[in-house]
């Protein structure tokens, strides 16, 4: 499909016109940023037509729609992706060439819209891509943060957080929709009033502060199918503009408060992943976008449907973790207070409309709000939660008479807290985990009581990733090679990629495959030289761990092993050692001191190792600054080894693991999250698996019996590695890494010594690493293994995941555009 506008000549003309129109300049005078904007406007022009067509088709065909509610959408850059999905990338690249312009340089002008932390936010973005590509009607609902994820700078080895003003030049792909603005209310109190119309009491929310929620829409372009869905992110504005005559009216204070409330709500994304901050502003953000999104969805439904009792036939709300779970009570409020339903009818509709995805079992990530805070900020919503809780507790009592332990463990309100996961499970018609192992742990451990009481709600949806961004766009050399060998069907049907299996023993194919890997490594090496000033050898093994920095992900295990290798090379300079480049990329939450210390340690080790001439460049360590979606695409393409080394049971799924696999990097990992399913697909002989199992970890956690000091005392080499943390090897300040050292050996408050079992897994990790080295030396064997990883990645497309959500949970209808 080549649209009119993407005929080269017309495209070139349009870009020139846009430069003139937007900047009163000729092309030759425009900056790259201005050209980027002009190109985007040309592309947007095409998208807008398809967007209108799609929305018209939806109006006519009236399909059921999913509203994917998420605090985070980690979209990454749009221009390249939109061109890919419009199947216009190559034409546009050529057209720009003819204008003397480089599409790569133009793409690099775009800021990453980084409205998310990590896996959860990126999953939401992949899902939107798949929903549009599979012809389903879907909205993403979220927040238009002024500042998304911070930019990370590394100064003197430390992480510095720099605000990311992604909107400063204007974002070309968004559309402000003031006509769909909604009001959201905070604070105040609830009055009970007699309603003569119904002869019963009604609840009236009074004395609140109001904020105007204004939607901005971003187009989500499906692949080659003319579908354009919408990501709707809400901005906040004060209701009454701050006017001077407010002085006279005496509501100056109120005007200032409303102005501040509006400004603060959407100011910034909380940069915590897998950790709940418990801040009032966070709850405000949650209610703000949930209320606005529900109001919009119901208003849209009511345009063409009379019976609100049938809402669930046309609408479903998927809650991305508990962050939007206030939706349960807000939907009840709207149905009762605004649509006039009674409790039972409202509950019947609500419990057919909302579904919940769990992304973690980490205790510190579970959302619990103090009742005091919740009821003060959202008095009417809180009242409804109390009633949901009261009725649910009665159900528990009926099912388990006299068992107060059940109430204690399952109630929504307990110990002065509102437990959002409990609310989501009680109201949701579906509760899903994000990988098989994770769902089993939910059923058998974390949510055991709920599973016993309502087993029919629980199901698994193993995560996936979009091959359009992470292969077709991110690794164009490999994408072309794949298409040359098996045709282009893999782009929308990744199961086809298994057809590559016939080539894994073909020497020519092996050479071509590894040559592409080499070229991608050269590209990354160039980036590293430009950004880090470190020269790395593209013939060395590129061993990569990129993901958020968290103790459970065990970047510390990785860097301790690097120290161990360094010691080995120093001690036995003659020893056979295949050159290795350890590449890290990770942002630490701003308030997470230990995570930041691990970043400092990685950089300190890098300083020593990279500058030690005696090891002859055998070992290099690189910390890539500001890891984000745009550089991730290039990193996955260049990786030889995929480090997925979380403590078993802690990583719900992981999705980076799938991106590496698709790009031909075998997994070095624990039997955790989706690694288990990766091994199922590719075979354990094509992965490097090590470490405690999830059962073993959970058993230690429940029954004790793990003492890292036994290992410390009996393993000289491990002891040596730990000693180097505090003896001046990597910092003249011997106290700098003391906390990391202590965390591995001493218990600290409620925290066990080495709570993530780093020493327990160290030896088996080192052994697996040794196997990686041996395997890499066998060139053909490695090529075969790498190709098999790509060939077996078919299951891990988000298209498969979305189809499962549709079949088992959402039951959406397909829509086709003429
Ligand atoms: C963000 C904020 C809070 Cl309060 C809690 C968690 C997060 C967050 O970012 N979580 C997150 O990214 N979880 C990840 O979700 C992925 C998608 O399901 C999983 O693959 C990954 O295992 C999980 O850690």
């Amino acid at each position: 499909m080549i649209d009119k506008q993407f005929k080269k000549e017309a495209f070139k003309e349009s870009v020139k016109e846009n430069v003139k129109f937007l900047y009163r300049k000729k092309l030759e005078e425009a900056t790259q940023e201005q050209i980027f904007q002009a190109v985007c406007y040309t592309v947007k022009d095409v998208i807008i037509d398809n967007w209108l067509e799609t929305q018209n088709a939806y109006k006519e065909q009236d399909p059921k729609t999913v509203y994917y509610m998420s605090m985070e959408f980690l979209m990454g850059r749009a221009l390249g992706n939109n061109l890919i999905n419009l199947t216009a990338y190559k034409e546009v690249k050529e057209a720009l060439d003819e204008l003397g312009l480089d599409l790569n340089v133009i793409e690099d002008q775009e800021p990453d819209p980084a409205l998310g932390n990590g896996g959860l936010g990126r999953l939401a973005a992949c899902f939107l891509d798949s929903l549009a590509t599979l012809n389903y009607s879907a909205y993403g609902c979220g927040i238009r943060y002024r500042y998304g994820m911070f930019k990370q700078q590394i100064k003197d080895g430390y992480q510095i957080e720099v605000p990311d003003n992604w909107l400063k030049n204007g974002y070309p792909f968004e559309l402000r929709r003031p006509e769909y603005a909604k009001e959201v209310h905070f604070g105040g109190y609830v009055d009970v009033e007699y309603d003569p119309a119904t002869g019963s009491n009604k609840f009236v929310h009074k004395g609140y502060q109001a904020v105007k929620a204004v939607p901005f829409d971003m187009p989500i372009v499906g692949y080659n199918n003319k579908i354009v869905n919408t990501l709707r992110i809400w901005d906040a504005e004060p209701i009454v503009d701050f006017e001077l005559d407010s002085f006279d009216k005496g509501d100056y204070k109120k005007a200032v408060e409303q102005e501040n409330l509006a400004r603060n709500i959407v100011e910034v994304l909380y940069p915590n992943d897998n950790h709940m901050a418990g801040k009032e502003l966070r709850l405000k953000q949650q209610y703000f976008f949930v209320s606005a999104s529900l109001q919009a969805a119901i208003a849209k439904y009511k345009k063409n449907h009379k019976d609100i009792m049938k809402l669930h036939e046309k609408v479903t709300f998927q809650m991305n973790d508990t962050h939007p779970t206030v939706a349960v009570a807000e939907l009840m409020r709207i149905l009762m207070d605004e649509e006039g339903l009674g409790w039972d009818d409202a509950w019947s509709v609500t419990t057919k409309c909302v579904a919940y995805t769990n992304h973690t079992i980490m205790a510190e990530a579970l959302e619990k709000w103090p009742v005091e805070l919740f009821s003060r900020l959202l008095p009417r919503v809180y009242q409804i939660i109390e009633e949901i809780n009261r009725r649910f507790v009665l159900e528990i009592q009926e099912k388990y008479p006299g068992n107060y332990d059940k109430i204690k463990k399952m109630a929504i309100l307990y110990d002065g807290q509102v437990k959002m996961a409990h609310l989501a499970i009680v109201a949701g018609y579906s509760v899903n985990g994000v990988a098989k192992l994770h769902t089993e742990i939910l059923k058998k451990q974390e949510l055991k009581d709920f599973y016993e009481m309502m087993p029919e709600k629980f199901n698994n949806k193993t995560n996936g990733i979009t091959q359009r961004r992470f292969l077709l766009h991110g690794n164009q050399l490999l994408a072309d090679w794949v298409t040359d060998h098996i045709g282009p069907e893999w782009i929308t049907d990744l199961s086809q990629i298994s057809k590559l299996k016939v080539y894994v023993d073909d020497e020519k194919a092996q050479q071509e495959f590894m040559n592409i890997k080499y070229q991608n490594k050269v590209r990354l090496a160039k980036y590293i030289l430009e950004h880090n000033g470190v020269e790395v050898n593209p013939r060395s093994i590129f061993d990569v761990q990129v993901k958020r920095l968290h103790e459970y992900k065990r970047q510390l295990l990785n860097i301790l092993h690097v120290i161990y290798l360094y010691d080995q090379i120093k001690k036995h300079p003659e020893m056979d050692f295949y050159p290795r480049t350890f590449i890290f990329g990770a942002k630490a939450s701003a308030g997470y001191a230990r995570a930041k210390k691990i970043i400092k340690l990685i950089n300190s080790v890098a300083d020593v190792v990279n500058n030690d001439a005696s090891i002859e460049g055998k070992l290099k360590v690189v910390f890539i600054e500001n890891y984000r979606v745009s550089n991730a695409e290039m990193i996955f393409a260049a990786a030889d080894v995929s480090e997925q080394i979380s403590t078993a049971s802690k990583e719900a799924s992981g999705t980076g693991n799938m991106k590496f696999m698709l790009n031909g990097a075998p997994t070095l990992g624990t039997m955790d999250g989706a690694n288990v399913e990766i091994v199922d697909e590719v075979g354990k002989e094509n992965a490097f698996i090590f470490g405690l199992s999830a059962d073993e970890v959970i058993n230690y956690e429940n029954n004790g019996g793990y003492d890292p000091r036994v290992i410390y005392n009996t393993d000289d080499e491990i002891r040596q590695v730990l000693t180097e943390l505090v003896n001046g090897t990597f910092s003249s300040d011997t106290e700098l890494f003391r906390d990391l050292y202590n965390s591995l050996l001493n218990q600290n408050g409620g925290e066990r010594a080495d709570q993530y079992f780093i020493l327990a897994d160290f030896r088996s990790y080192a052994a697996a690493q040794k196997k990686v080295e041996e395997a890499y030396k066998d060139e053909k064997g490695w090529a075969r293994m790498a190709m098999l990883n790509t060939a077996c990645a078919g299951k891990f497309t988000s298209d498969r995941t979305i189809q499962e959500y549709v079949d088992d949970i959402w039951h959406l209808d397909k829509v086709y555009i003429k």
Side-chain angles (χ1 to χ4, degrees):
M1 175 197 78
I2 301 172
D3 279 281
K4 263 207 308 283
Q5 286 86 334
F6 289 128
K7 293 261 167 57
K8 271 194 221 157
E9 289 314 311
F11 181 85
K12 280 159 46 181
E13 275 319 302
S14 164
V15 170
K16 284 188 207 160
E17 276 298 304
N18 281 338
V19 167
K20 186 171 87 183
F21 182 78
L22 288 167
Y23 304 105
R24 207 204 59 189
K25 279 188 178 171
K26 293 205 170 114
L27 200 56
E28 310 79 71
E29 303 165 314
T31 65
Q32 294 292 330
E33 210 284 320
Q34 291 171 332
I35 294 168
F36 158 73
Q37 294 279 351
V39 169
C40 286
Y41 275 93
T42 300
V43 174
K44 192 175 175 184
D45 221 33
V46 179
I47 293 175
I48 290 271
D49 284 334
N50 294 345
W51 208 355
L52 273 168
E53 286 296 319
T54 301
Q55 302 310 314
N56 281 336
Y58 288 169
K59 213 177 277 167
E60 277 167 26
Q61 299 177 40
D62 194 26
K64 187 173 178 185
T65 299
V66 61
Y67 291 82
Y68 197 80
M69 315 270 280
S70 179
M71 289 286 276
E72 308 189 11
F73 288 91
L74 193 42
M75 298 302 289
R77 290 173 177 162
L79 174 59
N81 199 250
N82 286 338
L83 290 174
I84 288 276
N85 283 6
L86 293 165
T87 63
Y89 194 90
K90 286 194 171 144
E91 286 78 12
V92 166
K93 193 172 173 55
E94 283 169 22
L96 291 170
D97 266 350
E98 289 170 20
L99 291 172
L101 298 169
D102 180 344
L103 177 54
N104 287 326
V105 176
I106 292 172
E107 282 185 63
D108 270 340
Q109 305 305 309
E110 182 175 347
D112 273 43
L115 308 184
N117 272 288
L120 171 150
R122 183 56 231 177
L123 185 74
C126 284
F127 280 4
L128 295 185
D129 182 84
S130 288
L131 279 160
T133 296
L134 294 176
N135 296 61
Y136 292 118
S137 169
Y139 277 89
C141 306
I143 297 173
R144 184 174 178 268
Y145 301 104
R146 293 290 155 71
Y147 295 92
M149 193 61 207
F150 61 79
K151 279 190 192 155
Q152 179 193 55
Q153 288 179 359
I154 301 295
K155 290 243 165 77
D156 192 24
Y158 290 98
Q159 165 177 297
I160 311 285
E161 302 94 31
V162 179
D164 176 28
N165 188 0
W166 69 289
L167 291 165
K168 72 169 178 288
N169 295 324
Y171 190 69
F173 288 108
E174 68 175 8
L175 213 61
R176 185 169 183 265
R177 314 297 300 280
E179 65 274 33
Y180 297 111
K182 301 281 178 261
E183 252 189 65
V184 180
H185 298 168
F186 296 97
Y189 56 95
V190 181
D191 246 3
V192 187
E193 284 177 5
Y194 179 74
D195 182 1
T198 59
S200 60
N201 285 334
K202 63 176 183 186
F203 299 92
V204 187
H205 190 187
K206 295 179 174 171
Y208 51 76
Q209 284 188 344
V211 178
K212 186 155 76 172
V214 181
F216 283 68
D217 287 352
M218 290 204 209
I220 306 296
V221 177
Y223 184 83
N224 197 20
N225 64 354
K226 300 219 171 212
I227 295 274
V228 180
N229 282 336
T230 304
L231 168 59
R232 172 160 284 187
I233 50 180
W234 297 89
D235 187 22
E237 289 179 14
I239 296 271
V240 245
D241 280 331
F242 183 74
E243 290 161 5
L244 271 183
D245 65 345
S246 300
F247 275 114
D248 312 328
K249 291 187 193 142
D251 51 8
Y252 174 75
K253 186 161 164 273
K254 195 173 170 200
V256 175
E257 278 170 2
Q258 294 207 351
E259 170 98 28
N260 283 339
L261 178 62
R263 206 198 341 268
N264 288 335
I265 282 183
V266 296
E267 185 68 8
V268 62
L269 165 77
Y270 278 89
N272 305 323
D273 84 306
N274 285 292
H275 185 83
M276 133 116 195
K279 293 282 190 291
E280 178 166 345
L281 181 59
R282 168 88 176 179
L283 184 58
K284 280 186 191 162
Q285 291 182 335
Q286 296 184 346
Y287 183 66
F288 169 75
F289 96 94
V290 162
S291 177
S293 303
L294 291 181
Q295 291 181 54
I298 289 171
K300 193 173 169 74
Y301 172 83
K302 283 172 63 180
K303 262 190 181 169
N304 321 312
H305 305 89
K306 283 199 207 72
D307 189 357
I308 195 77
M309 288 300 292
K310 291 185 177 164
L311 183 67
H312 62 279
E313 291 179 5
K314 292 295 171 189
V315 169
T316 189
F317 300 104
Q318 188 68 33
M319 303 186 290
N320 198 20
D321 215 302
T322 54
H323 318 155
T325 294
V326 66
V328 170
E330 175 65 1
L331 184 53
M332 288 293 289
R333 185 193 68 77
I334 294 172
L335 293 173
M336 295 189 298
D337 297 0
E338 289 171 23
E339 300 301 324
L341 297 189
W343 182 278
D344 291 337
D345 281 346
W347 185 247
S348 154
V349 173
T350 298
T351 53
K352 281 183 248 162
C353 282
V354 301
Y356 159 58
T357 304
N358 175 290
H359 295 267
T360 187
I361 61 161
M362 305 278 293
E364 64 267 34
L366 295 181
E367 290 194 298
K368 295 168 186 163
W369 294 103
V371 160
E372 179 280 319
L373 187 164
F374 203 109
S375 57
R376 179 164 45 79
L377 189 67
L378 306 171
R380 175 63 181 136
V381 165
Y382 178 72
Q383 218 177 30
I384 291 168
I385 292 176
E386 275 194 329
E387 181 62 13
I388 296 173
N389 181 61
R390 190 186 68 78
R391 290 172 184 240
F392 178 56
V393 168
L394 287 177
E395 265 181 60
I396 300 174
Q397 283 173 331
E398 197 167 309
K399 181 132 187 175
Y400 307 101
N403 189 340
Y404 294 100
D405 199 45
K406 287 278 181 195
I407 297 174
K408 180 174 170 176
K409 289 195 293 190
M410 298 174 79
I412 298 164
L413 298 174
Y414 208 85
D415 279 343
Q417 292 177 315
V418 188
K419 301 188 176 179
M420 300 309 275
H422 298 190
L423 178 60
I425 298 165
V426 169
Y429 67 89
S430 162
V431 176
N432 78 280
V434 290
K436 270 185 200 158
L437 175 68
H438 170 61
T439 302
E440 286 310 306
I441 294 174
L442 289 180
K443 293 199 288 194
K444 293 201 187 107
Q445 309 270 335
E446 306 304 310
L447 302 178
K448 184 166 181 279
D449 296 303
F450 289 97
Y451 177 60
E452 270 172 24
M453 191 169 170
M454 32 194 130
E456 69 290 346
K457 291 187 181 184
F458 285 72
N459 65 96
N460 175 246
K461 294 289 165 283
T462 298
N463 284 164
I465 55 154
T466 170
Q467 67 269 31
R468 269 100 38 202
R469 182 178 289 269
F470 292 105
L471 184 53
L472 188 54
H473 183 258
N475 192 347
Q476 286 164 27
L477 295 173
L478 185 57
D480 285 343
W481 183 86
V482 172
T483 298
D484 286 346
H485 286 76
I486 63 168
E489 286 74 28
W490 64 272
I491 297 170
T492 50
D493 175 9
L494 196 62
S495 71
Q496 298 285 326
I497 206 155
S498 69
K499 289 182 177 161
L500 288 177
K501 282 182 192 166
V502 301
Y503 294 103
V504 298
D505 290 306
D506 175 333
E507 281 194 27
K508 180 166 166 281
Q510 288 181 351
Q511 275 173 15
E512 289 168 354
F513 192 92
M514 291 316 291
N515 187 264
I516 288 168
K517 183 61 82 182
Y518 178 73
Q519 291 183 56
N520 286 323
K521 287 165 77 175
V522 170
R523 174 172 70 157
L524 181 59
K526 189 165 163 265
Y527 179 93
I528 289 171
L529 183 60
E530 276 166 20
H531 290 78
N532 294 56
V534 179
E535 221 171 298
V536 301
N537 173 8
R539 298 270 174 220
S540 66
I541 304 173
F542 276 19
D543 180 313
V544 187
Q545 187 174 19
V546 286
K547 48 181 80 251
R548 287 301 293 266
L549 202 313
H550 203 293
E551 286 168 276
Y552 85 79
K553 296 177 188 283
R554 298 201 296 191
Q555 284 92 353
L556 185 56
L557 172 59
N558 187 343
I559 197 67
L560 290 176
H561 174 257
V562 173
I563 296 174
Y564 163 81
L565 290 179
Y566 179 61
D567 289 351
Q568 294 282 308
I569 298 171
K570 297 282 281 186
K571 212 156 82 188
H572 312 287
E574 72 299 338
M575 140 184 120
D576 217 19
F577 185 84
Y578 201 98
R580 190 82 82 108
T581 302
F582 288 94
I583 297 170
F584 293 83
K587 289 180 183 177
S589 170
Y592 190 173
R594 196 173 284 161
K596 291 175 136 179
K597 212 35 106 41
I598 293 170
I599 291 178
K600 173 63 178 168
L601 175 63
I602 294 168
N603 284 307
S604 300
V605 173
D607 266 351
V608 171
V609 169
N610 297 348
N611 296 307
D612 184 340
S614 79
I615 64 166
E616 297 167 330
K618 285 177 188 158
L619 204 57
K620 285 275 167 84
V621 179
V622 176
F623 189 94
I624 293 182
E625 193 176 64
N626 201 26
Y627 173 62
R628 61 195 187 281
V629 177
S630 56
N631 59 18
E633 293 178 33
M634 169 179 47
I635 295 168
F636 295 126
D640 290 311
V641 178
S642 162
E643 296 256 8
Q644 307 300 336
I645 61 177
S646 53
T647 311
S649 80
K650 303 294 178 197
E651 190 70 274
S653 162
T655 44
N657 47 3
M658 303 168 185
K659 298 165 195 171
F660 281 107
M661 182 193 195
L662 182 61
N663 282 275
T667 301
L668 165 57
T670 49
M671 279 301 224
D672 199 15
N675 296 354
V676 176
E677 290 161 76
I678 285 177
V679 173
D680 279 349
E681 295 298 303
V682 77
K684 63 179 183 317
E685 64 287 1
N686 297 304
F688 302 89
I689 299 302
F690 72 95
L692 296 172
S693 68
D695 283 341
E696 288 169 325
V697 168
I698 291 168
N699 187 41
Y700 275 135
E701 287 177 338
N702 292 341
N703 307 316
Y706 171 56
D707 181 1
R709 281 175 178 258
V710 173
I711 299 169
Y712 175 87
N713 286 324
T714 53
D715 189 322
D716 296 346
E717 288 171 336
I718 290 182
R719 191 167 59 251
Q720 173 64 22
V721 168
L722 293 198
T723 301
E724 284 168 29
L725 292 180
V726 291
N727 74 356
T729 306
F730 300 108
S731 168
S732 54
D733 175 359
T734 55
E735 294 312 298
L736 190 60
F737 303 121
R738 181 77 61 185
D739 170 68
L740 296 180
Y741 177 87
N742 285 340
S743 76
L744 295 170
L745 297 173
N746 303 331
Q747 88 177 66
N748 179 355
E751 189 183 292
R752 287 168 286 107
D754 191 15
Q755 61 172 329
Y756 295 107
F757 301 91
I758 288 176
L759 298 197
D761 279 350
F762 188 93
R763 277 292 162 190
S764 78
Y765 177 59
Q769 281 284 23
K770 191 75 200 155
K771 284 192 188 149
V772 168
E773 175 173 354
E774 292 311 315
Y776 198 85
K777 284 196 231 162
D778 169 10
E779 273 184 41
K780 287 178 197 162
W782 187 272
R784 186 175 189 280
M785 197 190 297
M787 286 170 74
L788 269 171
N789 269 275
T790 299
C792 295
K795 172 175 174 183
F796 302 106
T797 171
S798 46
D799 299 342
R800 186 267 315 150
T801 312
I802 283 298
Q803 194 55 50
E804 289 180 7
Y805 273 89
V806 169
D807 292 341
D808 303 342
I809 306 178
W810 301 333
H811 305 292
L812 309 179
D813 319 297
K814 285 216 186 221
V815 169
Y816 294 96
I817 312 283
K818 279 150 260 161

